[in-house]
Amino acid sequence: MELKDIPQGILKKVRKGVVIPAHPLALNENRDLDEKHQRGLTRYYIDAGAGGIAVGVHTTQFEIRNPDIDLFHPVLQMASETVDAYGEGKDIIKIAGICGLTPQAKEEAAFAVENGYHAGLLSLSAYASSSVKKIIRHCKAIANTIPLVGFYLQPAVGGRILPYEFWREFCEIENVLAIKIAPFNRYQTLDVVRAVCESGRSGEIALYTGNDDNILVDLLTEYFIPTQNGVQSARIVGGLLGHWAVWTQKAVELVDEVHKLVGQNKPLDPSLLTLAVEITDSNAAFFDAANSFEGCIAGIHEVLRRQGLLQGTWCLNPREKLSPGQSAEIDRVYDYYPHLNDDEFVAENLEKWLE
């Protein structure tokens, strides 16, 4: 599958910038797949206005690939079917998480294409100590099967430092749709933006934030990068985020507002910086930043549980759970920032999503 095979309506939306939640995994108390709530989550994201979903990623729990669990195929199939049935005509991009060394990643990419996915978010964690040359060979091999969303993942949760030289070569791969920038680091974020601009493909390769600590500032920032072909401008146009797996309707409103502000080309209201800090503070509670992100998946689950979108906070790995004090932190940000949650929207539609 190539970029030209992606429907033009979807391609246009992705390049303009959309909200893409990293899709959680709904489990019951026995840690078995809860199909009712799994489909309900997908319907929630569609009605909230998300422009896509990412499935089989960190938030979906990498353990779905374990042979004794074996949920990778059914979870990806279920999400794709639900988008096609419930989101028909809405131009929603389906992104599959792709992991492992080249043979595994090629199998996952082929399965994703067979099941209607438009792109693959390519994890490079399996190449933690490999050379840039070897990683680029891997990326090219997977790009022969599916359009790529590059992924700069922070080392704290399994990523690695990827130098500017890697990103500059990565941008030469024709079948690259976008890059999710998630190193939680301004210097490394700039490496990616610079590489895209110097490749001359800033109009083709969409930049998406995964920097949960800096979401709004990433979206508001315009970059001007001097290159051999003159000064090139670029923006991070949307986000592919675990944070946006919760309070998604408000995230969609936020991105729409940012796009309007950018289009007006007017000075930004300083209150946006206050809002940016409020979002970051909320993310710290959800992602358990105080405990090195130990409770990040369970924290997302807890917010969804409170809204009725999940039955509980169970993860496939029993050791993954809320950290001590994390629930109280979620209480705090709910109290501090009521304008950030979409509880009312969820309550109005929950019964429909769970039918």
Side-chain angles (χ1 to χ4, degrees):
M1 182 175 179
E2 300 177 5
L3 289 176
K4 63 181 178 61
D5 300 317
I6 299 174
Q8 284 301 304
I10 291 176
L11 194 60
K12 183 177 180 181
K13 284 180 67 173
V14 170
R15 287 174 172 163
K16 178 184 177 183
V18 293
V19 167
I20 304 176
H23 204 304
L25 181 68
L27 299 175
N28 61 27
E29 60 184 355
N30 297 317
R31 303 185 196 277
D32 295 324
L33 179 62
D34 176 356
E35 181 173 337
K36 176 181 176 180
H37 286 80
Q38 188 72 15
R39 292 190 185 276
L41 278 174
T42 307
R43 293 167 181 152
Y44 159 54
Y45 298 135
I46 293 169
D47 280 350
I53 56 170
V55 189
V57 296
H58 177 250
T59 307
T60 324
Q61 303 177 49
F62 291 133
E63 290 87 352
I64 61 174
R65 295 168 170 82
N66 293 353
D68 58 331
I69 294 174
D70 196 24
L71 284 177
F72 180 77
H73 290 175
V75 167
L76 262 69
Q77 287 174 328
M78 189 180 300
S80 183
E81 291 167 0
T82 305
V83 169
D84 291 347
Y86 193 82
E88 185 178 5
K90 293 190 177 181
D91 288 331
I92 295 169
I93 188 164
K94 294 179 284 188
I95 298 174
I98 297 173
C99 297
L101 298 174
T102 302
Q104 175 185 336
K106 288 179 78 170
E107 288 180 6
E108 293 188 1
F111 179 81
V113 171
E114 290 168 7
N115 284 272
Y117 283 79
H118 306 102
L121 180 69
L122 186 59
S123 169
L124 300 176
S125 296
Y127 290 88
S129 58
S130 299
S131 67
V132 165
K133 186 176 181 180
K134 184 173 183 178
I135 303 173
I136 289 293
R137 283 202 303 268
H138 170 69
C139 294
K140 288 180 177 178
I142 309 310
N144 287 332
T145 300
I146 193 170
L148 297 184
V149 177
F151 189 11
Y152 200 160
L153 175 65
Q154 62 159 324
V157 290
R160 57 164 287 173
I161 301 300
L162 292 164
Y164 163 81
E165 289 75 16
F166 166 80
W167 291 109
R168 184 63 185 82
E169 288 193 53
F170 182 83
C171 291
E172 295 299 320
I173 301 172
E174 290 186 8
N175 212 23
V176 170
L177 170 66
I179 299 173
K180 171 180 174 173
I181 310 173
F184 285 39
N185 181 290
R186 307 284 72 76
Y187 303 118
Q188 292 155 11
T189 294
L190 184 55
D191 281 343
V192 180
V193 177
R194 181 177 147 225
V196 172
C197 286
E198 293 192 352
S199 74
R201 298 184 67 193
S202 58
E204 301 172 46
I205 298 175
L207 296 175
Y208 274 66
T209 184
N211 289 321
D212 299 80
D213 64 339
N214 202 57
I215 296 169
L216 182 51
V217 174
D218 272 356
L219 294 171
L220 291 170
T221 302
E222 185 170 12
Y223 296 85
F224 293 96
I225 306 296
T227 74
Q228 291 183 344
N229 296 313
V231 176
Q232 303 293 315
S233 67
R235 285 187 177 274
I236 295 172
V237 296
L240 195 170
L241 293 152
H243 182 87
W244 282 352
V246 301
W247 298 357
T248 310
Q249 188 229 15
K250 292 295 185 179
V252 171
E253 290 180 357
L254 176 70
V255 171
D256 288 346
E257 182 62 26
V258 168
H259 286 171
K260 289 178 185 176
L261 291 171
V262 168
Q264 293 170 356
N265 199 28
K266 293 180 179 178
L268 298 176
D269 191 317
S271 66
L272 289 168
L273 297 179
T274 301
L275 178 59
V277 172
E278 294 172 350
I279 293 169
T280 299
D281 192 20
S282 299
N283 180 265
F286 302 160
F287 271 50
D288 196 26
N291 295 290
S292 301
F293 309 102
E294 288 289 328
C296 61
I297 293 177
I300 293 169
H301 289 188
E302 172 62 11
V303 178
L304 296 171
R305 183 199 65 78
R306 294 181 185 203
Q307 293 182 313
L309 285 160
L310 289 181
Q311 292 189 76
T313 64
W314 307 290
C315 296
L316 291 170
N317 182 347
R319 293 189 299 274
E320 289 199 20
K321 55 187 177 181
L322 292 173
S323 293
Q326 189 178 0
S327 182
E329 276 295 283
I330 295 172
D331 289 340
R332 179 182 66 80
V333 298
Y334 251 107
D335 290 341
Y336 278 19
Y337 316 122
H339 51 287
L340 295 182
N341 77 65
D342 65 355
D343 286 13
E344 185 176 341
F345 169 72
V346 173
E348 290 173 352
N349 293 280
L350 184 61
E351 184 177 347
K352 175 180 66 172
W353 298 330
L354 296 179
E355 286 180 351

